[in-house]
Amino acid sequence: MEIVVSISDMKVTNRAKDVLVTHALGSCLGLAAFDPRAGVAGLIHCLLPLARNDKGMLKNPYMYVNTGVPQMMRAMFNRGASREYLILKAAGCGRMMHISNQFDTGANNFAALTKLLQVNEMRLNAEDVGGTIPRTMRLFTDTGRVVVSSCGRSWEL
């Protein structure tokens, strides 16, 4: 069953027949996580890098990299995933419409993820970030395979 992860959303599953999918990864971060031993998979679609101390953060922590990713990890650990077996793959973080300015959301999203992983002594196993194309990301929970597609092409991470 295909489960859609919307913008500023997150889903975790341990059903092998599920496929987690998120669309329209422009400057947003898509992060897929999979623990092959526990059979637990998670996918998050973060819009912005850092939550400030405001009510928006409390309403939706998945909107932000620095609050959403830890929430997804906790949800996965609650279903039996282990940090040492996690496979992490990122997509998105592009620069849409060739806009170059100090508010490079895509680069800032990826920098926030990189810092978060570094602090927690974790690393990405694969990434497809940057550039100017929108991406769709699918995580197949039976195998942990991640497929990215854009402009009529698909490739595996």
Side-chain angles (χ1 to χ4, degrees):
M1 179 167 93
E2 197 164 85
I3 299 171
V4 175
V5 177
S6 301
I7 296 170
S8 300
D9 191 13
M10 180 275 297
K11 299 284 192 273
V12 170
T13 184
N14 55 356
R15 293 185 310 247
K17 292 185 179 187
D18 289 345
V19 177
L20 301 176
V21 61
T22 193
H23 303 281
L25 288 169
S27 61
C28 295
L29 166 73
L31 180 68
F34 180 68
D35 179 332
R37 280 203 145 166
V40 177
L43 182 64
I44 191 166
H45 185 140
C46 299
L47 181 65
L48 297 168
L50 303 172
R52 307 288 183 229
N53 192 9
D54 66 13
K55 291 179 184 171
M57 179 188 77
L58 299 175
K59 280 185 182 175
N60 187 356
Y62 309 128
M63 182 180 291
Y64 308 97
V65 174
N66 72 324
T67 55
V69 172
Q71 290 258 352
M72 181 176 77
M73 296 300 169
R74 280 191 286 278
M76 292 182 70
F77 298 152
N78 287 339
R79 289 188 181 217
S82 270
R83 197 178 120 128
E84 64 229 358
Y85 298 113
L86 279 182
I87 298 168
L88 303 173
K89 299 181 180 184
C93 301
R95 179 179 285 150
M96 298 297 97
M97 301 183 293
H98 304 284
I99 295 171
S100 180
N101 61 35
Q102 65 184 3
F103 303 108
D104 189 346
T105 305
N108 291 334
N109 281 338
F110 193 67
L113 176 67
T114 301
K115 181 177 180 183
L116 185 63
L117 294 177
Q118 185 178 26
V119 164
N120 289 285
E121 298 177 345
M122 300 171 83
R123 66 176 187 82
L124 287 174
N125 297 85
E127 64 187 66
D128 182 24
V129 297
T132 58
I133 60 169
R135 296 166 175 95
T136 293
M137 183 179 203
R138 282 185 171 78
L139 170 56
F140 294 82
T141 60
D142 58 344
T143 61
R145 188 170 66 112
V146 174
V147 176
V148 176
S149 59
S150 182
C151 305
R153 293 181 31 242
S154 294
W155 54 97
E156 194 165 328
L157 280 186

Coordinates of all heavy atoms in Angstrom, one line a residue, residues 43-80:
L43 N 9.7 8.0 6.8 CA 10.0 9.0 5.8 C 9.4 10.3 6.3 O 8.3 10.4 6.8 CB 9.3 8.6 4.5 CG 9.5 9.5 3.3 CD1 11.0 9.6 2.9 CD2 8.7 9.1 2.1
I44 N 10.2 11.3 6.2 CA 9.8 12.7 6.6 C 10.1 13.7 5.5 O 11.0 13.5 4.7 CB 10.5 13.1 7.9 CG1 9.9 14.4 8.5 CG2 12.0 13.3 7.7 CD1 10.3 14.7 9.9
H45 N 9.2 14.7 5.4 CA 9.3 15.7 4.4 C 9.3 17.1 5.2 O 8.3 17.5 5.6 CB 8.1 15.7 3.5 CG 8.1 16.6 2.3 ND1 7.7 16.3 1.1 CD2 8.5 17.9 2.2 CE1 7.8 17.3 0.2 NE2 8.3 18.3 0.9
C46 N 10.5 17.6 5.4 CA 10.7 18.9 6.2 C 10.8 20.1 5.2 O 11.5 20.1 4.3 CB 12.0 18.8 7.0 SG 12.0 17.5 8.2
L47 N 10.1 21.1 5.6 CA 10.0 22.3 4.8 C 11.1 23.3 5.1 O 11.7 23.9 4.2 CB 8.6 23.0 5.1 CG 8.3 24.3 4.4 CD1 8.2 24.1 2.9 CD2 7.0 24.9 4.9
L48 N 11.4 23.4 6.4 CA 12.4 24.5 6.8 C 13.5 23.8 7.8 O 13.2 22.8 8.4 CB 11.7 25.6 7.6 CG 10.7 26.4 6.8 CD1 9.8 27.2 7.7 CD2 11.4 27.2 5.7
P49 N 14.6 24.5 7.9 CA 15.7 23.9 8.7 C 15.5 23.9 10.2 O 15.7 22.9 10.8 CB 16.9 24.7 8.3 CG 16.4 25.9 7.7 CD 15.1 25.7 7.1
L50 N 15.2 25.1 10.7 CA 15.3 25.3 12.2 C 14.0 25.8 12.7 O 13.5 26.9 12.3 CB 16.4 26.2 12.6 CG 17.8 25.8 12.1 CD1 18.8 26.9 12.4 CD2 18.2 24.5 12.7
A51 N 13.4 25.2 13.7 CA 12.3 25.7 14.4 C 12.8 26.7 15.5 O 13.7 26.5 16.2 CB 11.6 24.5 15.2
R52 N 12.1 27.7 15.5 CA 12.3 28.7 16.6 C 11.4 28.4 17.7 O 10.5 27.6 17.6 CB 12.1 30.2 16.0 CG 12.8 30.5 14.8 CD 14.3 30.7 15.1 NE 15.0 31.1 13.8 CZ 16.1 30.5 13.4 NH1 16.6 29.5 14.0 NH2 16.6 30.9 12.3
N53 N 11.5 29.0 18.8 CA 10.6 28.8 19.9 C 9.3 29.5 19.7 O 9.1 30.6 20.3 CB 11.3 29.2 21.2 CG 10.6 28.7 22.4 OD1 9.7 27.9 22.3 ND2 11.0 29.2 23.6
D54 N 8.5 28.9 18.9 CA 7.2 29.6 18.6 C 6.1 28.5 18.6 O 6.3 27.3 18.7 CB 7.2 30.4 17.3 CG 7.4 29.5 16.1 OD1 7.3 28.3 16.2 OD2 7.7 30.0 15.0
K55 N 4.9 29.0 18.5 CA 3.7 28.1 18.5 C 3.6 27.2 17.3 O 3.1 26.1 17.4 CB 2.4 28.9 18.7 CG 2.3 29.6 20.0 CD 1.1 30.4 20.1 CE 1.1 31.1 21.5 NZ 0.0 32.0 21.6
G56 N 4.2 27.7 16.1 CA 4.2 26.9 14.9 C 4.9 25.6 15.1 O 4.5 24.5 14.6
M57 N 6.0 25.7 15.8 CA 6.9 24.5 16.1 C 6.1 23.5 16.9 O 6.1 22.3 16.7 CB 8.1 24.9 16.8 CG 9.0 23.7 17.1 SD 10.4 24.1 18.2 CE 9.6 24.2 19.7
L58 N 5.3 24.0 17.9 CA 4.6 23.1 18.7 C 3.4 22.4 18.0 O 3.1 21.3 18.2 CB 4.0 23.8 19.9 CG 5.1 24.4 20.9 CD1 4.4 25.3 21.9 CD2 6.0 23.4 21.5
K59 N 2.9 23.1 17.0 CA 1.8 22.6 16.2 C 2.3 21.5 15.3 O 1.6 20.5 15.1 CB 1.1 23.7 15.4 CG 0.1 24.5 16.1 CD -0.5 25.5 15.2 CE -1.5 26.4 15.9 NZ -2.1 27.4 15.0
N60 N 3.4 21.7 14.6 CA 3.9 20.7 13.7 C 5.4 20.6 13.7 O 6.1 21.3 12.9 CB 3.4 21.1 12.3 CG 3.8 20.0 11.3 OD1 4.4 19.0 11.6 ND2 3.3 20.2 10.0
P61 N 6.0 19.8 14.5 CA 7.4 19.6 14.5 C 8.0 19.1 13.2 O 9.2 19.3 13.0 CB 7.7 18.7 15.7 CG 6.4 17.9 15.8 CD 5.3 18.9 15.4
Y62 N 7.2 18.4 12.4 CA 7.7 17.8 11.2 C 8.1 18.8 10.1 O 8.7 18.5 9.1 CB 6.7 16.8 10.6 CG 6.3 15.8 11.7 CD1 4.9 15.6 11.9 CD2 7.2 15.1 12.4 CE1 4.5 14.7 12.9 CE2 6.8 14.2 13.4 CZ 5.4 14.0 13.6 OH 5.0 13.1 14.6
M63 N 7.6 20.0 10.3 CA 7.9 21.1 9.4 C 9.4 21.4 9.4 O 9.9 21.9 8.4 CB 7.1 22.4 9.7 CG 7.3 23.5 8.8 SD 6.3 25.0 9.3 CE 4.7 24.4 8.9
Y64 N 10.1 21.2 10.5 CA 11.5 21.6 10.6 C 12.4 20.4 10.8 O 12.1 19.4 11.4 CB 11.6 22.4 11.9 CG 10.6 23.6 12.0 CD1 9.4 23.4 12.7 CD2 10.9 24.8 11.3 CE1 8.5 24.5 12.7 CE2 10.0 25.8 11.3 CZ 8.8 25.7 12.0 OH 7.9 26.7 12.1
V65 N 13.6 20.5 10.2 CA 14.6 19.5 10.2 C 15.0 19.2 11.7 O 15.0 18.0 12.1 CB 15.8 19.8 9.4 CG1 16.9 18.8 9.5 CG2 15.4 20.0 7.9
N66 N 15.3 20.2 12.4 CA 15.9 20.0 13.8 C 14.9 19.5 14.8 O 15.3 19.0 15.8 CB 16.5 21.3 14.3 CG 15.5 22.4 14.7 OD1 14.5 22.6 14.1 ND2 15.9 23.1 15.7
T67 N 13.6 19.5 14.5 CA 12.6 18.9 15.4 C 11.9 17.7 14.8 O 11.6 16.7 15.5 CB 11.5 19.9 15.8 OG1 10.9 20.5 14.6 CG2 12.1 21.1 16.7
G68 N 11.7 17.7 13.5 CA 11.0 16.6 12.9 C 11.9 15.3 12.8 O 11.3 14.2 13.0
V69 N 13.1 15.4 12.4 CA 14.0 14.2 12.3 C 14.1 13.5 13.6 O 13.9 12.3 13.7 CB 15.3 14.6 11.7 CG1 16.3 13.4 11.7 CG2 15.1 15.0 10.2
P70 N 14.4 14.2 14.7 CA 14.4 13.5 16.0 C 13.1 12.8 16.4 O 13.1 11.7 16.9 CB 14.8 14.6 17.0 CG 15.5 15.6 16.2 CD 14.9 15.6 14.9
Q71 N 12.0 13.5 16.0 CA 10.7 12.9 16.3 C 10.5 11.6 15.5 O 9.9 10.6 16.0 CB 9.5 13.9 16.0 CG 9.5 15.0 16.9 CD 8.3 14.9 17.9 OE1 7.5 14.0 17.8 NE2 8.3 15.8 18.8
M72 N 10.9 11.6 14.2 CA 10.8 10.4 13.4 C 11.7 9.3 14.0 O 11.2 8.1 14.1 CB 11.2 10.7 12.0 CG 11.1 9.4 11.1 SD 11.4 9.7 9.4 CE 13.2 9.8 9.4
M73 N 12.9 9.6 14.4 CA 13.8 8.6 15.0 C 13.1 8.0 16.3 O 13.1 6.8 16.4 CB 15.1 9.2 15.4 CG 15.9 9.7 14.2 SD 16.2 8.4 13.0 CE 16.8 9.3 11.6
R74 N 12.6 8.8 17.1 CA 11.9 8.3 18.3 C 10.7 7.4 18.0 O 10.6 6.3 18.6 CB 11.4 9.5 19.2 CG 12.5 10.1 20.1 CD 12.0 11.0 21.1 NE 11.5 12.3 20.6 CZ 12.3 13.3 20.3 NH1 13.6 13.2 20.5 NH2 11.8 14.4 19.8
A75 N 10.0 7.8 17.0 CA 8.8 6.9 16.6 C 9.3 5.6 16.1 O 8.7 4.5 16.3 CB 8.0 7.6 15.5
M76 N 10.5 5.6 15.3 CA 11.0 4.3 14.8 C 11.6 3.5 16.0 O 11.4 2.3 16.0 CB 12.1 4.6 13.8 CG 11.6 5.2 12.5 SD 12.8 5.5 11.3 CE 13.2 3.8 10.8
F77 N 12.3 4.1 16.9 CA 12.8 3.4 18.1 C 11.7 2.8 18.9 O 11.8 1.7 19.4 CB 13.7 4.3 18.9 CG 14.9 4.8 18.2 CD1 15.4 6.1 18.6 CD2 15.5 4.2 17.2 CE1 16.6 6.6 18.0 CE2 16.6 4.7 16.5 CZ 17.1 5.9 16.9
N78 N 10.6 3.5 19.0 CA 9.4 2.9 19.7 C 8.8 1.7 19.1 O 8.1 0.9 19.7 CB 8.3 4.0 19.9 CG 8.7 5.0 20.9 OD1 9.5 4.8 21.7 ND2 8.1 6.2 20.8
R79 N 9.1 1.5 17.8 CA 8.7 0.3 17.0 C 9.8 -0.8 16.9 O 9.6 -1.7 16.2 CB 8.2 0.7 15.7 CG 6.9 1.4 15.7 CD 6.3 1.6 14.3 NE 5.1 2.4 14.4 CZ 4.1 2.1 13.6 NH1 4.1 1.2 12.7 NH2 3.0 2.9 13.7
G80 N 10.9 -0.6 17.6 CA 11.9 -1.6 17.7 C 13.1 -1.3 16.9 O 14.1 -2.1 16.8

